[in-house]
PDB file of all heavy atoms in Angstrom:
ATOM      1  N   SER Z 254     108.958  21.070 -39.498  1.00  0.00           N
ATOM      2  CA  SER Z 254     109.677  19.854 -39.463  1.00  0.00           C
ATOM      3  C   SER Z 254     111.066  20.385 -39.304  1.00  0.00           C
ATOM      4  O   SER Z 254     111.463  21.455 -39.432  1.00  0.00           O
ATOM      5  CB  SER Z 254     109.441  19.178 -40.922  1.00  0.00           C
ATOM      6  OG  SER Z 254     110.163  20.000 -41.882  1.00  0.00           O
ATOM      7  N   PRO Z 255     111.935  19.289 -38.834  1.00  0.00           N
ATOM      8  CA  PRO Z 255     113.423  19.578 -38.790  1.00  0.00           C
ATOM      9  C   PRO Z 255     114.016  20.342 -39.939  1.00  0.00           C
ATOM     10  O   PRO Z 255     114.781  21.257 -39.779  1.00  0.00           O
ATOM     11  CB  PRO Z 255     114.006  18.299 -38.389  1.00  0.00           C
ATOM     12  CG  PRO Z 255     112.881  17.633 -37.594  1.00  0.00           C
ATOM     13  CD  PRO Z 255     111.683  18.012 -38.334  1.00  0.00           C
ATOM     14  N   GLU Z 256     113.683  19.795 -41.077  1.00  0.00           N
ATOM     15  CA  GLU Z 256     114.169  20.368 -42.276  1.00  0.00           C
ATOM     16  C   GLU Z 256     113.838  21.742 -42.619  1.00  0.00           C
ATOM     17  O   GLU Z 256     114.480  22.652 -42.910  1.00  0.00           O
ATOM     18  CB  GLU Z 256     113.733  19.395 -43.476  1.00  0.00           C
ATOM     19  CG  GLU Z 256     114.354  18.077 -43.593  1.00  0.00           C
ATOM     20  CD  GLU Z 256     113.574  17.138 -42.561  1.00  0.00           C
ATOM     21  OE1 GLU Z 256     112.522  17.436 -42.187  1.00  0.00           O
ATOM     22  OE2 GLU Z 256     114.320  16.013 -42.145  1.00  0.00           O
ATOM     23  N   GLN Z 257     112.556  22.226 -42.226  1.00  0.00           N
ATOM     24  CA  GLN Z 257     112.084  23.423 -42.437  1.00  0.00           C
ATOM     25  C   GLN Z 257     112.712  24.419 -41.416  1.00  0.00           C
ATOM     26  O   GLN Z 257     112.975  25.455 -41.740  1.00  0.00           O
ATOM     27  CB  GLN Z 257     110.477  23.469 -42.254  1.00  0.00           C
ATOM     28  CG  GLN Z 257     109.663  22.886 -43.358  1.00  0.00           C
ATOM     29  CD  GLN Z 257     108.212  22.711 -43.094  1.00  0.00           C
ATOM     30  OE1 GLN Z 257     107.943  22.473 -41.880  1.00  0.00           O
ATOM     31  NE2 GLN Z 257     107.430  22.889 -44.004  1.00  0.00           N
ATOM     32  N   MET Z 258     112.922  23.807 -40.105  1.00  0.00           N
ATOM     33  CA  MET Z 258     113.613  24.663 -39.136  1.00  0.00           C
ATOM     34  C   MET Z 258     114.967  24.977 -39.506  1.00  0.00           C
ATOM     35  O   MET Z 258     115.460  26.173 -39.374  1.00  0.00           O
ATOM     36  CB  MET Z 258     113.502  24.027 -37.842  1.00  0.00           C
ATOM     37  CG  MET Z 258     112.054  23.922 -37.197  1.00  0.00           C
ATOM     38  SD  MET Z 258     112.035  23.470 -35.435  1.00  0.00           S
ATOM     39  CE  MET Z 258     112.143  21.673 -35.665  1.00  0.00           C
ATOM     40  N   ILE Z 259     115.704  24.022 -40.029  1.00  0.00           N
ATOM     41  CA  ILE Z 259     117.049  24.223 -40.526  1.00  0.00           C
ATOM     42  C   ILE Z 259     117.034  25.192 -41.643  1.00  0.00           C
ATOM     43  O   ILE Z 259     118.040  26.210 -41.578  1.00  0.00           O
ATOM     44  CB  ILE Z 259     117.678  22.969 -40.877  1.00  0.00           C
ATOM     45  CG1 ILE Z 259     117.971  22.056 -39.735  1.00  0.00           C
ATOM     46  CG2 ILE Z 259     119.049  23.167 -41.604  1.00  0.00           C
ATOM     47  CD1 ILE Z 259     118.422  20.569 -40.055  1.00  0.00           C
ATOM     48  N   ALA Z 260     116.230  25.204 -42.449  1.00  0.00           N
ATOM     49  CA  ALA Z 260     116.154  26.137 -43.653  1.00  0.00           C
ATOM     50  C   ALA Z 260     115.902  27.517 -43.138  1.00  0.00           C
ATOM     51  O   ALA Z 260     116.404  28.475 -43.605  1.00  0.00           O
ATOM     52  CB  ALA Z 260     115.039  25.695 -44.681  1.00  0.00           C
ATOM     53  N   ARG Z 261     114.989  27.689 -42.139  1.00  0.00           N
ATOM     54  CA  ARG Z 261     114.712  29.010 -41.528  1.00  0.00           C
ATOM     55  C   ARG Z 261     115.913  29.515 -40.784  1.00  0.00           C
ATOM     56  O   ARG Z 261     116.237  30.773 -40.953  1.00  0.00           O
ATOM     57  CB  ARG Z 261     113.532  28.834 -40.459  1.00  0.00           C
ATOM     58  CG  ARG Z 261     113.097  30.107 -39.772  1.00  0.00           C
ATOM     59  CD  ARG Z 261     112.841  31.256 -40.783  1.00  0.00           C
ATOM     60  NE  ARG Z 261     112.383  32.464 -39.988  1.00  0.00           N
ATOM     61  CZ  ARG Z 261     112.256  33.658 -40.444  1.00  0.00           C
ATOM     62  NH1 ARG Z 261     112.543  33.821 -41.728  1.00  0.00           N
ATOM     63  NH2 ARG Z 261     111.838  34.608 -39.754  1.00  0.00           N
ATOM     64  N   LEU Z 262     116.663  28.652 -40.221  1.00  0.00           N
ATOM     65  CA  LEU Z 262     117.929  29.134 -39.421  1.00  0.00           C
ATOM     66  C   LEU Z 262     118.870  29.733 -40.324  1.00  0.00           C
ATOM     67  O   LEU Z 262     119.596  30.741 -40.253  1.00  0.00           O
ATOM     68  CB  LEU Z 262     118.534  27.902 -38.766  1.00  0.00           C
ATOM     69  CG  LEU Z 262     117.780  27.431 -37.478  1.00  0.00           C
ATOM     70  CD1 LEU Z 262     118.406  26.282 -36.842  1.00  0.00           C
ATOM     71  CD2 LEU Z 262     117.657  28.549 -36.352  1.00  0.00           C
ATOM     72  N   ARG Z 263     118.969  29.188 -41.684  1.00  0.00           N
ATOM     73  CA  ARG Z 263     119.838  29.635 -42.588  1.00  0.00           C
ATOM     74  C   ARG Z 263     119.418  31.062 -43.064  1.00  0.00           C
ATOM     75  O   ARG Z 263     120.163  31.925 -43.323  1.00  0.00           O
ATOM     76  CB  ARG Z 263     120.007  28.701 -43.789  1.00  0.00           C
ATOM     77  CG  ARG Z 263     120.720  27.388 -43.533  1.00  0.00           C
ATOM     78  CD  ARG Z 263     121.340  26.688 -44.708  1.00  0.00           C
ATOM     79  NE  ARG Z 263     122.209  25.571 -44.391  1.00  0.00           N
ATOM     80  CZ  ARG Z 263     121.844  24.396 -44.315  1.00  0.00           C
ATOM     81  NH1 ARG Z 263     120.559  24.000 -44.451  1.00  0.00           N
ATOM     82  NH2 ARG Z 263     122.709  23.401 -43.827  1.00  0.00           N
ATOM     83  N   GLU Z 264     118.075  31.136 -43.267  1.00  0.00           N
ATOM     84  CA  GLU Z 264     117.546  32.404 -43.685  1.00  0.00           C
ATOM     85  C   GLU Z 264     117.850  33.594 -42.667  1.00  0.00           C
ATOM     86  O   GLU Z 264     118.151  34.789 -42.904  1.00  0.00           O
ATOM     87  CB  GLU Z 264     115.988  32.389 -43.748  1.00  0.00           C
ATOM     88  CG  GLU Z 264     115.566  31.556 -45.006  1.00  0.00           C
ATOM     89  CD  GLU Z 264     113.938  31.471 -44.878  1.00  0.00           C
ATOM     90  OE1 GLU Z 264     113.272  32.191 -44.014  1.00  0.00           O
ATOM     91  OE2 GLU Z 264     113.433  30.666 -45.729  1.00  0.00           O
ATOM     92  N   PHE Z 267     121.512  32.118 -38.714  1.00  0.00           N
ATOM     93  CA  PHE Z 267     121.935  31.296 -37.545  1.00  0.00           C
ATOM     94  C   PHE Z 267     122.519  30.045 -38.090  1.00  0.00           C
ATOM     95  O   PHE Z 267     121.740  29.256 -38.700  1.00  0.00           O
ATOM     96  CB  PHE Z 267     120.811  30.995 -36.529  1.00  0.00           C
ATOM     97  CG  PHE Z 267     120.316  32.275 -35.884  1.00  0.00           C
ATOM     98  CD1 PHE Z 267     118.977  32.532 -35.860  1.00  0.00           C
ATOM     99  CD2 PHE Z 267     121.107  33.163 -35.252  1.00  0.00           C
ATOM    100  CE1 PHE Z 267     118.506  33.680 -35.217  1.00  0.00           C
ATOM    101  CE2 PHE Z 267     120.668  34.296 -34.528  1.00  0.00           C
ATOM    102  CZ  PHE Z 267     119.325  34.531 -34.568  1.00  0.00           C
ATOM    103  N   PRO Z 269     123.265  26.497 -38.946  1.00  0.00           N
ATOM    104  CA  PRO Z 269     123.101  25.150 -38.497  1.00  0.00           C
ATOM    105  C   PRO Z 269     124.207  24.304 -38.861  1.00  0.00           C
ATOM    106  O   PRO Z 269     124.245  23.125 -38.153  1.00  0.00           O
ATOM    107  CB  PRO Z 269     121.752  24.773 -39.313  1.00  0.00           C
ATOM    108  CG  PRO Z 269     121.890  25.744 -40.591  1.00  0.00           C
ATOM    109  CD  PRO Z 269     122.487  26.935 -40.113  1.00  0.00           C
ATOM    110  N   ASP Z 270     125.162  24.786 -39.558  1.00  0.00           N
ATOM    111  CA  ASP Z 270     126.225  23.899 -39.901  1.00  0.00           C
ATOM    112  C   ASP Z 270     127.560  24.124 -38.926  1.00  0.00           C
ATOM    113  O   ASP Z 270     128.532  23.652 -39.233  1.00  0.00           O
ATOM    114  CB  ASP Z 270     126.752  24.070 -41.311  1.00  0.00           C
ATOM    115  CG  ASP Z 270     125.577  23.847 -42.370  1.00  0.00           C
ATOM    116  OD1 ASP Z 270     125.008  22.760 -42.112  1.00  0.00           O
ATOM    117  OD2 ASP Z 270     125.403  24.712 -43.188  1.00  0.00           O
ATOM    118  N   ASP Z 276     124.021  19.107 -32.696  1.00  0.00           N
ATOM    119  CA  ASP Z 276     122.743  19.058 -33.634  1.00  0.00           C
ATOM    120  C   ASP Z 276     122.517  20.409 -34.326  1.00  0.00           C
ATOM    121  O   ASP Z 276     122.689  21.385 -33.649  1.00  0.00           O
ATOM    122  CB  ASP Z 276     121.543  18.612 -32.765  1.00  0.00           C
ATOM    123  CG  ASP Z 276     120.341  18.445 -33.575  1.00  0.00           C
ATOM    124  OD1 ASP Z 276     119.831  19.398 -34.114  1.00  0.00           O
ATOM    125  OD2 ASP Z 276     119.948  17.124 -33.731  1.00  0.00           O
ATOM    126  N   PRO Z 277     122.287  20.394 -35.534  1.00  0.00           N
ATOM    127  CA  PRO Z 277     121.958  21.618 -36.226  1.00  0.00           C
ATOM    128  C   PRO Z 277     120.913  22.531 -35.580  1.00  0.00           C
ATOM    129  O   PRO Z 277     121.037  23.765 -35.750  1.00  0.00           O
ATOM    130  CB  PRO Z 277     121.505  21.179 -37.667  1.00  0.00           C
ATOM    131  CG  PRO Z 277     122.074  19.790 -37.849  1.00  0.00           C
ATOM    132  CD  PRO Z 277     122.033  19.281 -36.522  1.00  0.00           C
ATOM    133  N   LEU Z 278     120.063  22.051 -34.881  1.00  0.00           N
ATOM    134  CA  LEU Z 278     118.933  22.656 -34.210  1.00  0.00           C
ATOM    135  C   LEU Z 278     119.317  23.231 -32.843  1.00  0.00           C
ATOM    136  O   LEU Z 278     118.482  24.087 -32.149  1.00  0.00           O
ATOM    137  CB  LEU Z 278     117.672  21.974 -34.111  1.00  0.00           C
ATOM    138  CG  LEU Z 278     117.021  21.522 -35.456  1.00  0.00           C
ATOM    139  CD1 LEU Z 278     115.816  20.684 -35.195  1.00  0.00           C
ATOM    140  CD2 LEU Z 278     116.544  22.826 -36.270  1.00  0.00           C
ATOM    141  N   PHE Z 331     109.266  31.239 -35.295  1.00  0.00           N
ATOM    142  CA  PHE Z 331     110.546  30.435 -35.318  1.00  0.00           C
ATOM    143  C   PHE Z 331     111.604  31.321 -35.934  1.00  0.00           C
ATOM    144  O   PHE Z 331     111.405  31.869 -37.077  1.00  0.00           O
ATOM    145  CB  PHE Z 331     110.376  29.083 -36.163  1.00  0.00           C
ATOM    146  CG  PHE Z 331     111.591  28.146 -36.038  1.00  0.00           C
ATOM    147  CD1 PHE Z 331     111.664  27.311 -34.907  1.00  0.00           C
ATOM    148  CD2 PHE Z 331     112.572  28.262 -36.864  1.00  0.00           C
ATOM    149  CE1 PHE Z 331     112.737  26.569 -34.715  1.00  0.00           C
ATOM    150  CE2 PHE Z 331     113.723  27.494 -36.754  1.00  0.00           C
ATOM    151  CZ  PHE Z 331     113.761  26.636 -35.626  1.00  0.00           C
TER     152      PHE Z 331
END
Side-chain angles (χ1 to χ4, degrees):
S254 67
E256 294 75 20
Q257 290 171 325
M258 288 190 279
I259 289 170
R261 176 61 177 163
L262 290 175
R263 288 199 172 97
E264 289 174 9
F267 294 131
D270 303 314
D276 185 285
L278 293 177
F331 189 87

